[in-house]
Amino acid sequence: PLNVARFIREYAGERFGFDAREAGQFQRALMLSSHPAPSPANLSAELKNAQAARRILGRLSPRKGRSEFEHCRLIADLLEHHLRFTILQDSLQAPDCPRARFSAVRRKLPRLLAAAHALNKRFRKLNSRNLHAAELQEECEYKLKAIRALQQRLERDGRR
């Protein structure tokens, strides 16, 4: 059977030039967020794990394979962004959701949208050689669509 931890550490050494300590940190960052679809009850814990993974990856400096490593950082940033949005969206789903929460979420969405645009810019830069322009546009638009839809819904509900 595959020893995942050992595989990750060896991969980190070979692809990014990490020493044993750095490879261990890389492994820890990857293993922190290992749930592809966290349950709503665990979203806050998953967000904390995603933030910790981002910090770890942000401190690592690969000696080789920098472009590939930037993909790892981007994926961690995308996960954190997705979890932030999901937590905001879920906070509005409770039947007894106070009206004030709608306003609070509405005020947070422009920052989340700006962050999505910045992530899209990085995504385009890192994937411009791998994806067709139409695919890049579709992927980037997908990230923005849900935020814009929630924004429009809250604006519409706020006028009632």
Side-chain angles (χ1 to χ4, degrees):
L2 177 67
N3 181 327
V4 175
R6 189 177 75 219
F7 174 82
I8 293 171
R9 287 191 308 269
E10 289 174 0
Y11 185 89
E14 292 169 13
R15 296 295 291 198
F16 305 127
F18 289 155
D19 62 25
R21 183 188 60 79
E22 293 165 323
Q25 290 176 341
F26 180 73
Q27 174 204 335
R28 182 168 182 268
L30 293 185
M31 304 292 270
L32 275 169
S33 295
S34 59
H35 304 290
S39 72
N42 295 333
L43 287 176
S44 292
E46 282 296 316
L47 177 60
K48 287 178 184 175
N49 287 341
Q51 291 167 330
R54 277 189 70 224
R55 283 191 299 273
I56 292 167
L57 294 173
R59 287 191 302 260
L60 291 172
S61 296
R63 288 178 270 295
K64 56 185 184 177
R66 286 183 177 89
S67 178
E68 181 181 347
F69 190 75
E70 283 307 313
H71 277 87
C72 296
R73 285 182 175 150
L74 176 63
I75 290 168
D77 292 345
L78 288 168
L79 175 61
E80 182 192 11
H81 186 268
H82 172 73
L83 289 168
R84 284 183 182 283
F85 174 72
T86 303
I87 288 169
L88 282 178
Q89 193 174 35
D90 285 359
S91 74
L92 302 174
Q93 300 302 319
D96 58 345
C97 178
R99 201 88 179 127
R101 189 173 302 151
F102 283 76
S103 297
V105 168
R106 189 172 45 228
R107 284 191 303 272
K108 292 178 182 181
L109 289 177
R111 273 195 317 257
L112 206 59
L113 194 58
H117 282 293
L119 288 168
N120 281 346
K121 185 176 179 180
R122 287 173 55 204
F123 183 85
R124 279 188 177 98
K125 182 179 177 185
L126 287 171
N127 290 290
S128 63
R129 292 183 177 163
N130 305 323
L131 297 173
H132 293 285
E135 290 174 303
L136 282 170
Q137 183 60 34
E138 185 178 333
E139 285 292 326
C140 291
E141 198 54 42
Y142 179 77
K143 289 189 258 322
L144 301 173
K145 191 176 184 177
I147 299 171
R148 287 181 181 145
L150 182 58
Q151 216 171 18
Q152 289 169 356
R153 182 182 134 215
L154 292 175
E155 287 171 8
R156 192 174 49 248
D157 290 351
R159 288 191 286 254
R160 290 183 189 165

